[in-house]
Amino acid sequence: MVPLAMQEPACAAIECQDCGFYRIGLFMGLDSGDTTLLDRYVKKKHMLKRGQVLYRAGEAFTCVYAIRSGSVKTYISTDDGRLQITGFHIPGELLGLNAMDDKRYNCDAMALETTSVCEISLDCFEALARQIPSAHYQMLRMMSKEIKLNQELMLLLGKKSAEERLATYLLTLSRRFALRNYSPTRFNLSMSRGDIGDYLGIAEETVCRIFTRFQEEGVVTTERRHIILNDLKRLSAIACEPCH
Amino acid sequence: MVPLAMQEPACAAIECQDCGFYRIGLFMGLDSGDTTLLDRYVKKKHMLKRGQVLYRAGEAFTCVYAIRSGSVKTYISTDDGRLQITGFHIPGELLGLNAMDDKRYNCDAMALETTSVCEISLDCFEALARQIPSAHYQMLRMMSKEIKLNQELMLLLGKKSAEERLATYLLTLSRRFALRNYSPTRFNLSMSRGDIGDYLGIAEETVCRIFTRFQEEGVVTTERRHIILNDLKRLSAIACEPCH
DNA sequence: CGCCCTGTTGAATCTGGTCAAACTAAGTGG
DNA sequence: CCACTTAGTTTGACCAGATTCAACAGGGCG
């Protein structure tokens, strides 16, 4: 078994054509020669159209999904139709892992746009995990990271003004794009204003109003879903981020 | 390595006098004969007074803590002093695990009352985990469970009215007590009104106002921190819980 | 070309926050 | 044991930010 405190494994240059697995932390421990493993274990490939559902809360936990392209939102909802989006997920991310506790998905997952995912059955996933010594440890890290993100979202939902929420959101996106070598200041959103509102805990209309306010102040430029961040410093000042 | 889908291990009747480890899922795979393991690995015992800090966000991840008695709140905060409580933790729970990703605690942990914890150094914890085949898997389950709880809190923070928030909170407490064979309808809170507000994303005053409203309607009876839930059905109707 | 979905803006309303003050319980020290 | 301090709780008055409802604009797609 691998010690818990092991160093971050170097990112082996492995690529599964189907899934972009090479980007997924979990599989970074794999040696290039093991690429065939992926092909052996990754069975199905799915294509989802905008609005199609990958899984629903309460369904039995049978598969893990790796996003290959596109994007997915996960959300939970009340009986009377209110919903809270818990995350937007992009290529390279793994979905479904947090059904591990009670063997049922605890949220819905829906494609935001045309999205391609690899479905990995639980059996295959376990077999794959057994082949990779650090797999469990990597999974722990992934979940630990998700918990950290969730806590920051809780701070946002519990204590921030609408303006701070949107600024925080734009900055988070910016950094996420930067990590993937996309422009941190110019990007297209795959989610609607309504989705942003359902993620930030504010009304769609409020999202719009604050976008226009930011635009009037010159902080951002928006053209429907195309966003340009003109002043990251300013945005960061507005966002009021958690201190560490 | 243990298959991911293994059954919930039977709760072995093991008790570590120091830590109440027998209650912690992680160690339920241990055979009774292995009790000495615990004594070997669990080094320090800490006593905290109300308000004392166990660890702070940003500090290096060196220890995991098992709560033996008392209770602890974890929270993250902004530079300007606003804070969001992310959880209240009670005996048998393990604290610090979600520092696994970046090797730093991502929140503060503070005792709500006189609290006794077992400190387990990371080295010891790893060694202990190596002795227990299902340890990593149990940790995954624990974190998966935490993610699920966090998501429910997000729904509450993002979409619920103050009344729904408090009702949800009281019900959650009630169930938590019931699981431990305490009365689900009569209990004492270890947290202040302010803490409840900082957890539910509402002001202390609002918490008070809604407590009195509930009391006027006969749903609960409160006497400072002593709470009696008179009508769980009603409370549940108010709470508007997530559907599964 | 026209429909529908998304986004935007305005006006009225309201929930919950803020500020201030009174009150209670529990210590604390002389 | 009592005066005094402190922390926690409760209530009231007022206000502001955000929601709701409604109308409308503009793109994209059939």
Side-chain angles (χ1 to χ4, degrees):
Chain A
M1 188 157 311
V2 177
L4 295 183
M6 69 177 286
Q7 290 304 303
E8 166 113 34
C11 179
I14 296 174
E15 181 160 4
C16 166
Q17 289 301 334
D18 281 345
C19 308
F21 262 3
Y22 67 101
R23 290 210 237 168
I24 300 174
L26 182 56
F27 302 102
M28 294 198 303
L30 265 185
D31 185 292
S32 309
D34 296 342
T35 318
T36 51
L37 260 178
L38 298 173
D39 300 324
R40 205 181 319 146
Y41 288 120
V42 175
K43 300 296 182 196
K44 294 184 206 159
K45 200 159 64 166
H46 269 304
M47 205 66 181
L48 300 171
K49 279 180 287 196
R50 191 172 69 87
Q52 266 194 295
V53 168
L54 199 52
Y55 54 77
R56 285 194 187 283
E59 285 177 7
F61 177 38
T62 55
C63 299
V64 168
Y65 299 91
I67 305 178
R68 173 171 157 62
S69 68
S71 50
V72 173
K73 65 180 172 186
T74 49
Y75 56 90
I76 53 174
S77 42
T78 60
D79 347 338
D80 63 342
R82 287 174 288 178
L83 62 87
Q84 173 65 39
I85 293 179
T86 54
F88 296 114
H89 308 277
I90 54 180
E93 292 188 9
L94 217 48
L95 285 179
L97 266 190
N98 54 24
M100 191 133 282
D101 179 49
D102 49 9
K103 312 287 178 286
R104 307 193 161 276
Y105 300 107
N106 52 23
C107 59
D108 296 11
M110 181 186 284
L112 285 170
E113 58 193 315
T114 302
T115 294
S116 151
V117 299
C118 279
E119 179 184 307
I120 309 156
S121 82
L122 208 51
D123 293 340
C124 290
F125 189 68
E126 284 164 19
L128 185 53
R130 267 192 294 272
Q131 303 284 332
I132 305 171
S134 68
H136 275 119
Y137 175 64
Q138 293 299 336
M139 284 162 69
L140 282 172
R141 288 196 45 185
M142 288 169 70
M143 293 177 94
S144 153
K145 183 161 208 152
E146 183 166 349
I147 290 174
K148 190 180 147 200
L149 289 174
N150 286 349
Q151 289 183 343
E152 273 165 26
L153 186 55
M154 285 186 234
L155 178 65
L156 178 147
L157 292 169
K159 282 285 141 66
K160 291 192 183 180
S161 71
E163 214 170 61
E164 291 166 336
R165 293 182 197 206
L166 191 57
T168 305
Y169 182 63
L170 292 174
L171 275 177
T172 306
L173 280 181
S174 168
R175 290 178 190 136
R176 213 164 162 187
F177 285 123
L179 275 179
R180 296 174 172 252
N181 290 340
Y182 293 121
S183 167
T185 52
R186 292 168 163 269
F187 44 83
N188 283 295
L189 301 176
S190 60
M191 68 293 290
S192 69
R193 300 291 195 261
D195 284 332
I196 297 174
D198 283 339
Y199 180 63
L200 299 179
I202 53 182
E204 178 177 359
E205 294 92 328
T206 307
V207 176
C208 282
R209 275 184 250 273
I210 293 174
F211 262 129
T212 47
R213 204 183 306 165
F214 282 171
Q215 181 138 358
E216 285 164 4
E217 294 167 1
V219 186
V220 307
T221 309
T222 62
E223 164 73 35
R224 307 200 117 248
R225 294 196 182 181
H226 186 68
I227 309 285
I228 304 172
L229 307 182
N230 299 317
D231 192 345
L232 290 176
K233 273 248 166 65
R234 189 86 182 287
L235 219 44
S236 170
I238 297 172
C240 186
E241 299 181 278
C243 55
H244 290 298
Chain B
M1 189 155 311
V2 176
L4 295 183
M6 70 177 284
Q7 290 304 304
E8 166 114 34
C11 179
I14 296 174
E15 182 158 4
C16 165
Q17 290 301 333
D18 282 346
C19 307
F21 262 2
Y22 68 102
R23 289 209 238 168
I24 301 175
L26 181 57
F27 302 102
M28 294 199 301
L30 266 184
D31 184 292
S32 310
D34 295 342
T35 317
T36 51
L37 260 178
L38 297 173
D39 300 324
R40 208 182 317 146
Y41 288 119
V42 175
K43 300 295 182 195
K44 293 183 205 160
K45 201 160 64 166
H46 270 305
M47 205 66 182
L48 300 170
K49 278 181 288 196
R50 192 173 67 87
Q52 266 194 294
V53 169
L54 200 51
Y55 54 77
R56 283 193 188 284
E59 285 178 7
F61 177 38
T62 55
C63 299
V64 168
Y65 299 92
I67 304 178
R68 175 171 155 60
S69 69
S71 50
V72 173
K73 65 179 172 185
T74 48
Y75 55 91
I76 54 174
S77 42
T78 60
D79 346 341
D80 62 344
R82 285 174 288 178
L83 62 87
Q84 174 65 40
I85 293 178
T86 54
F88 296 114
H89 308 277
I90 55 181
E93 292 188 8
L94 218 48
L95 285 179
L97 267 190
N98 55 23
M100 191 135 281
D101 178 50
D102 50 9
K103 312 287 178 286
R104 308 194 159 276
Y105 299 107
N106 52 24
C107 59
D108 296 11
M110 181 187 284
L112 285 170
E113 58 194 314
T114 302
T115 294
S116 151
V117 300
C118 280
E119 179 183 307
I120 309 156
S121 82
L122 208 49
D123 293 339
C124 290
F125 189 68
E126 284 165 18
L128 185 52
R130 268 192 294 272
Q131 303 284 332
I132 305 172
S134 68
H136 275 119
Y137 175 64
Q138 293 299 337
M139 284 161 70
L140 282 172
R141 287 196 46 183
M142 288 169 71
M143 293 176 96
S144 153
K145 183 160 207 156
E146 183 166 347
I147 290 174
K148 189 180 148 201
L149 289 175
N150 286 349
Q151 290 182 344
E152 272 165 26
L153 186 56
M154 285 186 236
L155 178 64
L156 178 148
L157 292 169
K159 282 283 142 65
K160 291 192 183 180
S161 72
E163 215 170 60
E164 291 167 337
R165 293 181 198 206
L166 191 58
T168 305
Y169 181 64
L170 291 174
L171 275 177
T172 306
L173 280 181
S174 168
R175 289 178 191 138
R176 212 164 163 186
F177 285 123
L179 275 179
R180 300 177 169 251
N181 290 339
Y182 294 121
S183 166
T185 52
R186 293 167 162 270
F187 44 84
N188 284 295
L189 301 175
S190 60
M191 68 293 290
S192 70
R193 300 290 195 261
D195 285 332
I196 296 174
D198 283 338
Y199 180 64
L200 299 179
I202 52 183
E204 180 177 358
E205 294 93 327
T206 306
V207 175
C208 282
R209 274 185 253 273
I210 293 173
F211 262 130
T212 48
R213 204 183 306 166
F214 282 171
Q215 181 137 359
E216 284 164 5
E217 294 167 0
V219 186
V220 307
T221 308
T222 62
E223 164 74 34
R224 306 201 119 247
R225 295 197 182 180
H226 186 69
I227 309 286
I228 304 171
L229 306 182
N230 299 317
D231 192 345
L232 290 176
K233 273 247 166 63
R234 189 85 184 287
L235 219 43
S236 169
I238 298 173
C240 186
E241 298 180 277
C243 54
H244 292 297

